[in-house]
């Protein structure tokens, strides 16, 4: 089972990848939205902001987030690490329910370029 530190490192790695992206992916990464990533097996939530092509984690909360972020992800820690390392395909994981993504329709259309 991935630790809190490993999950935070995976989010940093994802953020770095988004920052160096080009084309449509860079455009999608440039959204300015509140973000939460709930790690279900650790019962923690990373909350922050997607801005300037990066994900900035502002806090780590025990349990579910108090406020509903504009972009919400939920998965196990192992799945987060596997996604970021390229070992788990997002579309397949989302389709099977291993990963949950919730956002407004407009944001979902932009985010599909990232995923």
């Amino acid at each position: 089972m991935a630790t809190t530190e490993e999950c935070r490192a995976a989010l940093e790695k994802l953020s770095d990848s988004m920052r160096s992206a080009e084309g449509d992916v860079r455009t999608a990464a440039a959204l300015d939205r509140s973000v939460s990533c709930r790690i279900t097996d650790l019962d923690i939530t990373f909350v922050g902001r997607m801005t300037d092509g990066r994900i900035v984690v502002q806090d780590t909360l025990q349990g579910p987030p108090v406020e509903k972020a504009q972009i919400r992800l939920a998965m196990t820690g192992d799945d987060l690490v596997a996604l970021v390392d390229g070992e788990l395909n997002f579309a397949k994981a989302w389709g099977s329910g291993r990963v949950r993504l919730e956002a407004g329709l407009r944001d979902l259309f932009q985010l599909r370029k990232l995923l």
Side-chain angles (χ1 to χ4, degrees):
M1 180 166 71
T3 65
T4 300
E5 293 78 22
E6 290 169 326
C7 292
R8 182 179 283 276
L11 286 172
E12 286 294 322
K13 183 177 178 181
L14 174 61
S15 181
D16 291 343
S17 295
M18 288 170 48
R19 184 76 183 227
S20 63
E22 297 180 6
D24 286 345
V25 174
R26 178 119 177 120
T27 301
L31 291 172
D32 185 11
R33 301 286 188 272
S34 59
V35 177
S36 67
C37 182
R38 178 136 170 77
I39 308 301
T40 56
D41 57 334
L42 297 176
D43 194 29
I44 61 169
T45 304
F46 294 100
V47 294
R49 189 137 199 105
M50 179 187 292
T51 185
D52 295 326
R54 293 189 58 81
I55 297 172
V56 178
V57 175
Q58 298 165 331
D59 203 0
T60 305
L61 307 173
Q62 191 66 38
V66 176
E67 294 183 22
K68 189 174 173 180
Q70 292 167 305
I71 298 171
R72 299 167 303 282
L73 288 162
M75 67 196 80
T76 67
D78 288 341
D79 284 345
L80 173 62
V81 171
L83 278 169
V84 172
D85 287 344
E87 298 168 2
L88 179 62
N89 178 280
F90 180 84
K92 288 180 182 178
W94 186 42
S96 70
R98 286 177 66 178
V99 173
R100 290 189 314 270
L101 169 64
E102 298 176 13
L105 189 58
R106 187 177 298 167
D107 289 340
L108 286 173
F109 281 123
Q110 285 294 328
L111 291 170
R112 70 185 169 93
K113 297 173 188 172
L114 285 173
L115 311 171

